[in-house]
Every structure is written in C-alpha cells, then in structure tokens.
C-alpha cells in the first residue's frame, strides 16, 4: 500500500527540513521550498511555480507530496465590498467558510477550526448545524494561504473600495495582516491542530503572522485556557462571555454547564496572571436579554480587577434564533456604564458582511450551498 501524499501545509519549517533530509536532500533546500510555499504562495510544484527547485526534488514532491489548497465552492461579496466570504471544499467533500475582511489599512482573515461546532451557542449558525469533525493543521493553514493569494489578484483589489489596485502606480500590494480564529468551530476543542497551524502561520520566514497578529476566540473551554496559560502562547485571547451569571450564561452557551462561570473566571485570572496578558471579553448584545444597565453593571463587577477589554457585538441574525440586536443607543449606554463606573475599556464591533451572513455567529454550511 502506498502512503498518502504529505500535505506540505501540515508541516512546520523544521518538519519540512526533516522530510527533505529523510528524502536525501540537503537541508538548504528547505528555505527555498518554504519561500515558494508561503512567500510565493505557489499553487503547484511545476517549474513555472517553483523554477529553482532541483529536478529530483520536484519529482519527489510531485510523487509523494501535495499542496492542500482548498477549492472555492462559492464566493460571496458584501454589498459594501469590504467583506468576501468563501465556501471552501475539503478533500472529503465537507465544506467550511472563511471570511476576508478589509478594514482601514489592514486585511483580516476569519478562519475556521472545525466543520461545524459542538458547543451549541443558541444564537450561532455554526452551533445550530452541529459538529462534524476537527480540521487538520493543513486545512487551517490553507485558509490563510487562500486569503493571502486572493489579495494578489488584481480582480479582488480593484473591486474593493478605496483599495489601491495591487502593484498599480507604485502602491504596495495588500498583505494579510491578521488572523482571527473566530470562524466555524471552537478552536480550543481542536487544541493540538490549531496550535500546530499557528506555529506554521507565525513563522517569520513565511506568512509571518506573529503572536500579536493572531486572535483566538473561545466560548470558555477551561482546560484549553489553562493550557494556553501554561504554554504561554503568544496570541491574543478572546473569551465569549455574553452573560455575567451562571444561569443566564448557561441559557445562551450550553458549554457553560460543563465549564461554569466561576471556573471560567478563575481560569481567566490564572491566564492573565501567568502571561501578563489582557483578555478580550466578547459580549453579544441581544435586545432586552443581556443589554440593560443592570447587565452592564454585572459584567463590570465580574471583570473588576482583571486586565480586560470588552468587545460588544450587536447580535447578527440567524434563522435558528429569534433574538434581535441591541439598538446602537443602548449599546452606547452599555459602553458608557463600563467606562464611567468601572473604567473598563470597550469597543462596539464594526458590523461587517451581515448581508452575506459573514458576521460573527453567522457562518454555516447549508445543504444547498
Ligand atoms: S459561537 Fe463559536 S463556540 Fe459557540 S457554537 Fe458558534 S462557533 Fe461554536
């Protein structure tokens, strides 16, 4: 039985070096191949994509390795042109969604870590579809590579408002600056694959998405938060809070029954103490449900003395949940209480891609897509 081809996006640079050495090639070829993979964003091992590869190495790669690129099943643009959502096809015909978001001066990719999600947050379209499987490191890395490649396409740049056409009149092509692990899935439920993928994406000789450029969002998987603290992983951590009492939180986030609020807050405290890092606490604002002045005071009290910032996210609509977003005046009032009474910094998240269901909590794969 012949072994399955190695997906090169599964390998760190050190693992790639070990593979080439095992095949009898000098480790010096590692840098060349890595450059083709992550700076050139090559799409094949052919001579036009990787011209300087030794012929024997090219032949070996063509026979025993592959680039696990994810074909696009569907691409959808938001009406303002700032967001593009990709439905990407995996080898086993499962599909995931990845979102390219353009903000002033930066491009962010929102990437998925699982097909579906087991956490079941009631307002989230991914949670509503259930869990199918974890993504491999290569499938996570391939999403970042995909977005980086799209930024090189003049067709994309020219469609985006205020974006200089890549390479036009001396303007530098846009680069992928940030990754948010806020797509489909709970990243800490797929801890090893996600951390392996982050190691690959952080590599300064490649995508160079160093620690300050990656944000991981968790619903509150306590063992994962404690492991992150212990391993002192250099990334931004966002914890989805949404409620400041155990009963209210468990009604929105079923995972809270497994990891209750007091355990979660103890883990967050350990994380911040151990790493010296501030945590972003996410609060989906649902009209009449968790957006009153009393709720603002409850979250202020809960986060007192913790290095924290609150990200307020007006609810994005999904078909499986009847709640509606907090009006902007109430969101601003909530924010004012946090600032005035608790000196707690907060932002109201810019809403992007809502019309194409690419906003927070809206990613899902339907049978018809
Ligand atoms: S909000 Fe995140 S953790 Fe919750 S169901 Fe959706 S994808 Fe899963």
């Amino acid at each position: 039985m012949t072994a399955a081809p190695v997906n090169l996006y599964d390998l760190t640079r050190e693992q790639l070096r070990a593979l080439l050495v095992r095949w009898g090639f000098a480790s010096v070829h590692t840098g060349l191949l890595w450059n083709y993979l992550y700076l050139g964003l090559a799409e094949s091992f052919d001579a036009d994509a990787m011209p300087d590869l030794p012929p024997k190495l090219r032949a070996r790669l063509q026979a025993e390795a592959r680039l696990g690129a994810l074909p696009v099943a569907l691409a959808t643009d938001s009406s303002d042109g700032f967001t593009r959502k990709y439905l990407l096809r995996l080898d086993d015909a499962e599909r995931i969604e990845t979102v390219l978001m353009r903000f002033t001066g930066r491009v962010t990719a929102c990437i998925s870590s699982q097909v579906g999600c087991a956490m079941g947050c009631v307002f989230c379209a991914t949670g509503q579809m259930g869990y199918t499987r974890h993504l491999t490191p290569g499938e996570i890395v391939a999403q970042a590579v995909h977005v980086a490649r799209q930024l090189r396409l003049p067709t994309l740049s020219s469609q985006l408002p205020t974006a200089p056409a890549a390479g036009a009149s001396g303007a530098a092509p846009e680069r992928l600056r940030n990754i948010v692990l806020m797509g489909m899935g709970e990243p800490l439920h797929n801890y090893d694959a996600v951390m392996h993928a982050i190691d690959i994406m952080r590599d300064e000789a490649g995508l160079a998405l160093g620690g300050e450029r990656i944000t991981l969002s968790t619903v509150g998987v306590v063992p994962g938060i404690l492991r992150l603290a212990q391993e002192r992983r250099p990334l931004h951590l966002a914890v989805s809070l949404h409620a400041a009492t155990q009963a209210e939180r468990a009604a929105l986030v079923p995972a809270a029954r497994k990891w209750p609020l007091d355990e979660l807050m103890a883990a967050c405290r350990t994380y911040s103490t151990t790493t010296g890092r501030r945590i972003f606490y996410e609060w989906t604002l649902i009209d009449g449900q968790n957006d009153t002045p009393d709720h603002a005071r409850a979250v202020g009290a809960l986060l007192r003395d913790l290095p924290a910032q609150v990200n307020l996210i007006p609810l994005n609509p999904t078909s499986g949940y009847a709640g509606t977003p907090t009006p902007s005046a109430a969101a601003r009032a909530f924010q004012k209480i946090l600032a005035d009474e608790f000196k707690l910094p907060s932002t109201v998240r810019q809403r992007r891609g809502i019309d194409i269901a690419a906003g927070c909590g809206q990613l899902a794969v339907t049978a018809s897509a």
Side-chain angles (χ1 to χ4, degrees), residues 114 116-128 182-187 217-220 240 242 252-255 360-361 363:
Q114 297 176 313
C117 183
M119 300 296 144
C121 303
V122 295
F123 49 77
C124 170
T126 312
Q128 289 156 15
M182 296 184 183
M184 294 167 67
E186 162 54 60
S217 174
T218 177
V219 74
S240 298
H242 309 313
L252 293 171
V253 179
C360 279
L363 301 188

Side-chain angles (χ1 to χ4, degrees), residues 42-56:
E43 298 188 48
S44 79
F45 302 127
D46 296 345
D48 54 346
M50 299 188 176
D52 296 329
L53 275 192
K56 282 187 180 165

Side-chain angles (χ1 to χ4, degrees), residues 3-201:
V6 184
N7 179 2
L8 295 194
Y9 294 144
D10 270 328
L11 306 182
T12 62
R13 189 150 44 109
E14 182 52 33
Q15 289 173 322
L16 183 66
R17 190 194 67 77
L19 177 72
L20 296 195
V21 168
R22 212 163 51 241
W23 283 355
F25 295 96
S27 62
V28 68
H29 295 309
T30 310
L32 181 65
L33 183 51
W34 192 261
N35 284 352
Y36 282 137
L37 291 176
Y38 295 111
L39 297 182
L41 304 171
E43 298 188 48
S44 79
F45 302 127
D46 296 345
D48 54 346
M50 299 188 176
D52 296 329
L53 275 192
K56 282 187 180 165
L57 177 53
R58 188 189 318 286
R60 192 87 193 241
L61 288 166
Q62 283 167 335
E64 296 181 47
R66 67 189 180 96
L67 293 176
L70 305 177
V72 178
L74 190 67
T76 323
D77 289 305
S78 63
S79 54
D80 64 9
F82 282 103
T83 304
R84 178 171 280 189
K85 182 171 78 165
Y86 298 95
L87 180 67
L88 301 177
R89 196 176 297 280
L90 308 178
D91 282 352
D92 58 1
E94 294 292 348
R95 289 155 303 165
I96 52 169
E97 290 191 320
T98 301
V99 182
L100 182 161
M101 295 178 291
R102 198 154 172 283
F103 298 90
T104 310
R106 66 194 160 92
V107 170
T108 296
C110 177
I111 65 181
S112 296
S113 57
Q114 297 176 313
V115 180
C117 183
M119 300 296 144
C121 303
V122 295
F123 49 77
C124 170
T126 312
Q128 289 156 15
M129 68 183 267
Y131 168 80
T132 302
R133 71 167 173 87
H134 291 320
L135 296 188
T136 63
E139 289 168 335
I140 298 168
V141 171
Q143 296 173 68
V145 170
H146 172 77
V147 170
R149 265 193 203 125
Q150 301 309 303
L151 295 174
R152 293 201 167 173
L153 299 177
T155 47
L156 178 72
S157 291
S158 63
Q159 285 166 13
L160 293 170
T162 70
S169 57
E174 287 188 293
R175 280 196 61 197
L176 174 60
R177 292 284 171 203
N178 299 295
I179 294 281
V180 292
L181 278 149
M182 296 184 183
M184 294 167 67
E186 162 54 60
L188 296 185
H189 183 208
N190 187 14
Y191 191 98
D192 291 331
V194 166
M195 296 309 150
H196 189 95
I198 287 175
D199 287 343
I200 295 167
M201 295 188 291

